[in-house]
Amino acid sequence: MTKLKLILFLFLIVGSPIFSQTNDSTYIDALKAPKKYRLAPLKIEGANFTDPSVIALLSGLTEGQEITIPGDKIADAIKALWKQSIFEDIQILQDKIIGKDIFLIIKVVERPRLSKFSFKGGVKKSDADDIRNKIRLLKERVVTDYMLGTIKNTVHDFYLDKGYYHNVVTITQIPDPTTKAPHTIITINVEKNKKVRIQDVNIIGNTLLSDGKLRRKLKDSKPFRWYNPFNSGKYLEENLEKDLPNIVAKYNAKGYRDARIIKDTTYFVSPNRVAIDVTIDEGHKYYFGNFKWFGNSKYRSGQLDTILNIQPGDVYDQSKLEQKLYMNPNGFDVSSLYQDDGYLFFQINPQESNIHNDTIDFDILMYEGKQATINKVTIKGNDKTNDHVVYREIRTKPGQLFRRSDIIRTQRELSQLGYFDPEKLNVVPTPNPADGTVDIEYTVEEKPSDQIELSGGYGGRTNYASSGGGSAGGIGIIGTLGVTFNNFSARNIFNKSAWRPLPSGDGQRLSIRAQTNGIYYQSYNASFTEPWLGGKKPNSLTVSAFHSLFSNGQSRYITDPTLGKIYNPNRNSMSIIGTSIGFGKRLQWPDNYFNLYTNLNYNYYDLNKYGAFPIFNTGYANDINLGINISRNSIDAPIYPKHGSNFVFHAQYTPPYSKFENKDYPNLTPQERYKFIEYQKYKITAEWFTQLTNKKGTEGKEARNLVLRTKVGYGFLGYYNKNVGFSPFERFYMGGSGISGFQNFVAREIIALRGYPDNSISSSGGDPICARYTMELRYPISLNPQATIFILGFAEAGNTWTNFKTFNPFQVKRSAGVGLRVFLPMFGLLGIDYGWGFDNVPGQPGIGNGKGQFHFTIGGALGEL
């Protein structure tokens, strides 16, 4: 125990200049006759860390102050210093008295300072790091009993949350011999012992619902089962308190509004196992009766009954009633009906009006209020993105009627930009009932949006760079290095102050990419997109250019002894140069989720004995085509969508040259036939995201829910003239991860089918028809925008066909597997999959038939279909 020595009567003992204490009566007289003194300068002793002037200031004693001896001033000074918790011992002593001036000494013994601390016992490095973040100990911090107790409790609770119910934490201190002033070294000793897990949960009193159904409602208090890796079975009292109301809610949803838990008991059945008994009173089953509406003038009661959609005789369910009145996540409820028409001050209150037998009638009391007009709209938190980029995506405009649906849509649009953390988006409406207006503030938090793109994969090796085709060696691994600036500002290129490190904030997109595997393949691409051309309407402009080169690795030129530098006759290659310009427009019909994008493309092909296209492997060709893309995209987030759908219809047309020229196409050489390529191409895709669970995130944590992704896609390549036939280019190649499709290689389109090697499903020259079906079950590990991670299980099927006569959308190759996706802002979406192909591929006995294969991807798209 720290001793506190308060010497108030030192002036009365032997040697005191004030009192000589010759006898007891003199001592008593001194107590009866206090004297006043003027305080002389204080003397501070024992302060190694604390500034003496600070100690004097904290004591409250000041030079020239009048004090009474004995009196309360000295006691108050010691109490004031003791409150600082930085001293082990405090004494105030008399030094001397000269006339009416008294000289005092404040003598302190300081508490030791922290030199360093460490952990001992079974503390993992990751646990130690987490504990350090919680206790936040700093060197030179004063070591107090309170601090030691806080450390002990924090560490104990940390391991208690991990299920170590019997953990023991002790703290030892030793002086630091390397310092002159008092310092201490703290060791935090942790004895975790074994985890305490739940062995059984016994449900007592239930006759209507099975034990299993009720146990499943205890989400964080399930019995431990060794074969279930997703349930630790750890026992935490707070988890049980949180889970038990779920059982009552389950009964309420079945009509048992009076259901309650009579008691719950937890007891140890072994040193490391507990059992939980939950006793239930199920009560009686109730049904909805009649509903009467009061206070409604905007909508008739019959209209409100239609929205409510609860009929007399339906099983009573309080959560269903609340959802229909004001909590429907799809927005189809009575409150949404009013708030989407400006009635921000709308209020609704359901009251039970009559309970007869097992039927409950309701009176729905409503206050419609006045329609609210939006007054001011502000944004906060956009430190990088310019205000006009955010405001142009906001659907709530000053002067408009308030609509809840506009706020929800604005949140989606801001999330889709990719500049802000979707988990941190917030909207704060501030109603002004006095004038019937509302101010709306949008709060955003910037996240990194620019990317250093690394795109590559390995899924088999194929060599088409020879006139004979074949598959001996070849492309294999493809690497991409590029930079993408998703929030670029072209108007500030010549503004030196805007380069931090690049001009940004205007929402433009600039991408520069180089793709290669060395001597066999090289490609270079640059593109620029202005999403709001002219700044007034969401009409986009995109321009791009690229150059790609494929070869068998032979050098372009060789040196002949007699002819000198000549073209290498052994070289097989294809060169492509392409440019594109496109315009995009947001549509208002059929609804405002639709987009139209058209682009004009030109590609020039130069082939030299290139075996990827058997019917045309030497010569040059021109491809001028017009692309039309109509899409409807309502997904809620770009990286990990939980809701919404994406439908795309894409058409691509070249001029029908053969209709204008009277040529004998069957007898033309390939060079003459394909000098100007003609074709028509169509792709149709439909994609849905469905959230299967509805967990709510606790404070400070994101909600992790299971999501089902389903997608179907078809691709068709057609011709204008039967005598010309299918174009040798733009055909579909299926198999693998889809990444070896070389993103800038427009001559062919690679479609993924995991579980099979790259391009193994299609014929060597590609096929004009393809179909692909995909289903993925996704679960997030982390939704942090700095590192979004989710796992998935997939099942997919697909195939390609050589003509329409053999096309059968159900004759497909099937596969299934598991995968992992990691999104890093600087690198994009990284992925690894392992898939098993279930079906054999004719002519390729070594693949399919249940054999597995890894696929690595960087980038989200596994082929457009």
Side-chain angles (χ1 to χ4, degrees):
M1 293 288 294
T2 303
K3 296 181 179 178
L4 174 62
K5 299 179 179 178
L6 175 59
I7 305 181
L8 296 176
F9 306 110
L10 187 63
F11 316 108
L12 307 178
I13 62 177
V14 177
S16 171
I18 303 175
F19 305 105
S20 60
Q21 194 182 0
T22 55
N23 52 48
D24 289 342
S25 61
T26 306
Y27 181 87
I28 295 172
D29 290 341
L31 292 175
K32 292 181 179 179
K35 294 184 178 180
K36 295 182 178 181
Y37 295 93
R38 185 171 57 247
L39 189 60
L42 294 170
K43 184 179 180 181
I44 310 296
E45 293 183 356
N48 296 309
F49 301 107
T50 312
D51 190 329
S53 62
V54 174
I55 295 178
L57 180 65
L58 293 173
S59 71
L61 300 175
T62 58
E63 183 180 353
Q65 178 183 4
E66 186 179 81
I67 62 173
T68 301
I69 301 297
D72 296 331
K73 297 290 186 181
I74 302 298
D76 292 343
I78 292 179
K79 290 178 182 178
L81 292 174
W82 184 243
K83 287 180 179 179
Q84 308 307 312
S85 300
I86 58 176
F87 304 112
E88 286 187 340
D89 192 19
I90 303 170
Q91 299 180 45
I92 298 182
L93 307 173
Q94 173 194 325
D95 185 14
K96 57 186 176 181
I97 295 177
I98 301 177
K100 290 193 175 289
D101 293 335
I102 185 168
F103 293 80
L104 300 181
I105 300 173
I106 300 179
K107 189 174 182 180
V108 297
V109 177
E110 293 179 309
R111 291 182 182 273
R113 302 294 177 109
L114 178 63
S115 179
K116 57 184 178 181
F117 71 97
S118 61
F119 297 93
K120 187 177 180 181
V123 180
K124 297 186 295 186
K125 183 180 183 302
S126 59
D127 290 349
D129 292 340
D130 291 339
I131 294 172
R132 285 189 182 95
N133 291 332
K134 290 178 178 292
I135 60 179
R136 298 184 179 278
L137 290 182
L138 300 175
K139 190 176 181 179
E140 298 298 326
R141 182 176 174 181
V142 178
V143 178
T144 65
D145 293 336
Y146 176 79
M147 184 189 81
L148 296 175
T150 301
I151 295 172
K152 185 175 181 179
N153 292 336
T154 301
V155 177
H156 176 76
D157 292 344
F158 176 82
Y159 282 104
L160 189 64
D161 288 342
K162 288 181 171 289
Y164 295 97
Y165 191 84
H166 297 305
N167 79 83
V168 178
V169 181
T170 57
I171 297 177
T172 57
Q173 301 180 67
I174 59 172
D176 188 348
T178 63
T179 59
K180 293 182 180 180
H183 281 74
T184 187
I185 299 173
I186 291 178
T187 302
I188 303 171
N189 305 282
V190 179
E191 186 180 351
K192 294 191 294 187
N193 296 312
K194 291 185 177 180
K195 284 186 176 182
V196 173
R197 303 181 189 272
I198 301 172
Q199 179 168 302
D200 289 303
V201 176
N202 304 309
I203 310 296
I204 302 169
N206 58 311
T207 58
L208 302 164
L209 298 176
S210 67
D211 291 359
K213 287 184 178 180
L214 296 178
R215 287 195 193 102
R216 283 194 286 273
K217 291 298 170 181
L218 302 175
K219 296 181 179 179
D220 295 316
S221 302
K222 291 185 173 69
F224 172 71
R225 298 294 181 261
W226 64 267
Y227 50 79
N228 185 355
F230 301 103
N231 174 36
S232 65
K234 66 180 180 182
Y235 169 69
L236 289 177
E237 184 177 347
E238 56 266 33
N239 284 352
L240 182 61
E241 291 178 358
K242 181 182 65 176
D243 286 339
L244 287 176
N246 295 336
I247 292 180
V248 176
K250 180 68 174 178
Y251 273 99
N252 292 161
K254 298 292 184 180
Y256 295 86
R257 67 186 289 271
D258 298 331
R260 63 190 180 97
I261 294 176
I262 299 175
K263 66 176 181 178
D264 61 277
T265 307
T266 303
Y267 53 93
F268 282 91
V269 294
S270 70
N272 301 311
R273 293 290 185 271
V274 297
I276 301 172
D277 293 344
V278 180
T279 304
I280 298 172
D281 178 11
E282 295 179 324
H284 300 287
K285 190 171 185 177
Y286 289 85
Y287 300 87
F288 284 116
N290 296 315
F291 288 87
K292 293 183 180 180
W293 302 87
F294 296 91
N296 56 306
S297 59
K298 174 70 175 178
Y299 299 101
R300 293 180 290 104
S301 297
Q303 292 175 288
L304 298 177
D305 285 336
T306 302
I307 299 294
L308 186 66
N309 195 27
I310 297 177
Q311 305 301 324
D314 288 354
V315 174
Y316 174 85
D317 183 351
Q318 181 68 25
S319 63
K320 180 180 179 180
L321 176 61
E322 292 175 350
Q323 187 180 77
K324 292 292 186 178
L325 291 178
Y326 39 72
M327 292 177 58
N328 194 331
N330 296 323
F332 195 67
D333 56 68
V334 175
S335 293
S336 296
L337 180 68
Y338 275 90
Q339 291 189 356
D340 280 345
D341 198 21
Y343 291 90
L344 174 63
F345 309 107
F346 169 81
Q347 297 177 13
I348 188 168
N349 181 26
Q351 294 185 352
E352 295 179 358
S353 60
N354 185 25
I355 302 176
H356 45 98
N357 297 324
D358 58 357
T359 302
I360 304 174
D361 296 332
F362 280 88
D363 289 343
I364 310 297
L365 308 181
M366 300 169 55
Y367 170 72
E368 295 179 333
K370 296 181 179 180
Q371 289 178 302
T373 303
I374 299 172
N375 181 31
K376 292 189 299 184
V377 177
T378 57
I379 54 175
K380 184 173 68 174
N382 55 316
D383 304 323
K384 177 181 177 181
T385 306
N386 293 325
D387 285 353
H388 73 272
V389 175
V390 184
Y391 277 122
R392 68 194 186 191
E393 301 295 340
I394 292 178
R395 301 298 178 100
T396 53
K397 307 293 184 182
Q400 293 180 347
L401 285 178
F402 173 85
R403 298 183 190 276
R404 189 178 75 167
S405 58
D406 287 341
I407 289 182
I408 296 173
R409 181 63 184 276
T410 296
Q411 288 180 293
R412 176 196 176 270
E413 296 301 325
L414 294 179
S415 176
Q416 288 292 102
L417 286 175
Y419 312 149
F420 310 116
D421 181 357
E423 302 294 325
K424 301 293 179 64
L425 285 174
N426 190 29
V427 185
V428 182
T430 305
N432 306 305
D435 58 4
T437 63
V438 59
D439 298 331
I440 302 175
E441 180 183 80
Y442 293 93
T443 302
V444 298
E445 183 176 305
E446 299 267 9
K447 71 172 186 177
S449 58
D450 298 332
Q451 295 179 3
I452 297 176
E453 185 179 2
L454 294 175
S455 179
Y458 181 86
R461 306 181 65 184
T462 305
N463 180 18
Y464 295 110
S466 64
S467 59
S471 58
I475 300 296
I477 298 175
I478 299 295
T480 297
L481 175 61
V483 291
T484 302
F485 306 108
N486 289 303
N487 196 0
F488 192 68
S489 176
R491 65 187 175 94
N492 286 317
I493 289 179
F494 300 106
N495 183 359
K496 293 182 179 180
S497 62
W499 287 72
R500 300 187 305 269
L502 289 168
S504 60
D506 282 343
Q508 298 162 340
R509 186 176 188 272
L510 175 65
S511 176
I512 302 172
R513 177 192 297 140
Q515 194 173 34
T516 184
N517 83 323
I519 59 176
Y520 298 99
Y521 166 66
Q522 297 178 24
S523 184
Y524 307 94
N525 173 282
S527 66
F528 174 79
T529 299
E530 167 54 73
W532 283 65
L533 185 62
K536 295 183 178 180
K537 294 183 178 181
N539 300 326
S540 65
L541 168 67
T542 300
V543 293
S544 64
F546 74 92
H547 170 61
S548 297
L549 177 65
F550 302 83
S551 77
N552 60 354
Q554 294 283 336
S555 60
R556 187 185 300 269
Y557 299 99
I558 61 173
T559 302
D560 184 88
T562 57
L563 301 176
K565 187 177 181 180
I566 63 172
Y567 192 85
N568 188 351
N570 296 321
R571 178 178 171 83
N572 313 131
S573 65
M574 179 177 71
S575 173
I576 311 173
I577 298 175
T579 61
S580 175
I581 181 170
F583 295 90
K585 180 180 178 60
R586 296 184 189 177
L587 303 178
Q588 298 300 315
W589 184 88
D591 63 29
N592 55 17
Y593 286 103
F594 276 83
N595 291 274
L596 172 65
Y597 181 78
T598 59
N599 59 320
L600 182 64
N601 310 291
Y602 172 71
N603 303 304
Y604 176 78
Y605 303 97
D606 186 0
L607 296 86
N608 178 49
K609 296 182 289 187
Y610 194 75
F613 310 104
I615 61 175
F616 179 51
N617 56 46
T618 300
Y620 65 91
N622 297 274
D623 179 5
I624 304 172
N625 66 79
L626 176 68
I628 301 174
N629 189 297
I630 300 174
S631 63
R632 185 188 187 277
N633 187 342
S634 63
I635 63 175
D636 60 337
I639 304 303
Y640 188 78
K642 306 180 188 70
H643 307 280
S645 58
N646 186 21
F647 300 93
V648 179
F649 170 76
H650 177 81
Q652 197 169 326
Y653 303 96
T654 65
Y657 301 106
S658 62
K659 300 295 184 182
F660 310 140
E661 300 173 341
N662 187 18
K663 294 183 179 180
D664 185 11
Y665 282 97
N667 295 319
L668 292 180
T669 64
Q671 172 62 78
E672 293 173 320
R673 180 182 297 182
Y674 301 119
K675 179 179 180 180
F676 287 95
I677 304 169
E678 65 175 39
Y679 61 86
Q680 49 184 318
K681 186 176 184 180
Y682 305 92
K683 290 184 292 186
I684 303 170
T685 61
E687 184 178 30
W688 298 268
F689 292 90
T690 307
Q691 183 172 303
L692 300 181
T693 58
N694 193 29
K695 291 184 178 180
K696 305 296 182 182
T698 57
E699 185 176 355
K701 296 183 179 179
E702 68 270 5
R704 300 179 183 178
N705 287 291
L706 199 63
V707 175
L708 175 66
R709 171 183 178 257
T710 51
K711 186 175 184 180
V712 57
Y714 297 96
F716 306 95
L717 179 66
Y719 51 75
Y720 298 109
N721 190 324
K722 186 176 181 180
N723 292 325
V724 177
F726 292 110
S727 166
F729 306 115
E730 295 294 335
R731 299 189 182 193
F732 299 101
Y733 297 74
M734 178 172 285
S737 63
I739 207 164
S740 65
F742 321 133
Q743 296 177 25
N744 303 324
F745 185 9
V746 296
R748 49 201 275 219
E749 185 165 344
I750 305 298
I751 307 298
L753 189 64
R754 291 164 286 185
Y756 298 90
D758 284 359
N759 311 333
S760 60
I761 305 299
S762 309
S763 55
S764 60
D767 294 318
I769 305 171
C770 75
R772 180 170 176 256
Y773 313 94
T774 303
M775 181 173 67
E776 288 183 353
L777 201 58
R778 299 176 167 188
Y779 184 78
I781 304 299
S782 169
L783 293 176
N784 188 325
Q786 302 296 328
T788 303
I789 305 172
F790 60 92
I791 56 177
L792 59 89
F794 68 85
E796 58 186 7
N799 205 352
T800 62
W801 294 267
T802 57
N803 55 62
F804 286 93
K805 290 183 179 180
T806 59
F807 172 57
N808 183 348
F810 303 107
Q811 185 183 7
V812 292
K813 309 299 181 186
R814 300 162 300 165
S815 67
V818 294
L820 172 72
R821 296 290 183 271
V822 179
F823 176 81
L824 302 175
M826 288 298 292
F827 298 101
L829 192 63
L830 317 178
I832 180 173
D833 298 299
Y834 190 85
W836 291 269
F838 298 139
D839 299 296
N840 67 313
V841 178
Q844 302 188 60
I847 63 175
N849 295 314
K851 294 182 179 180
Q853 183 169 341
F854 277 105
H855 301 280
F856 300 93
T857 60
I858 301 181
L862 299 177
E864 289 189 18
L865 298 185

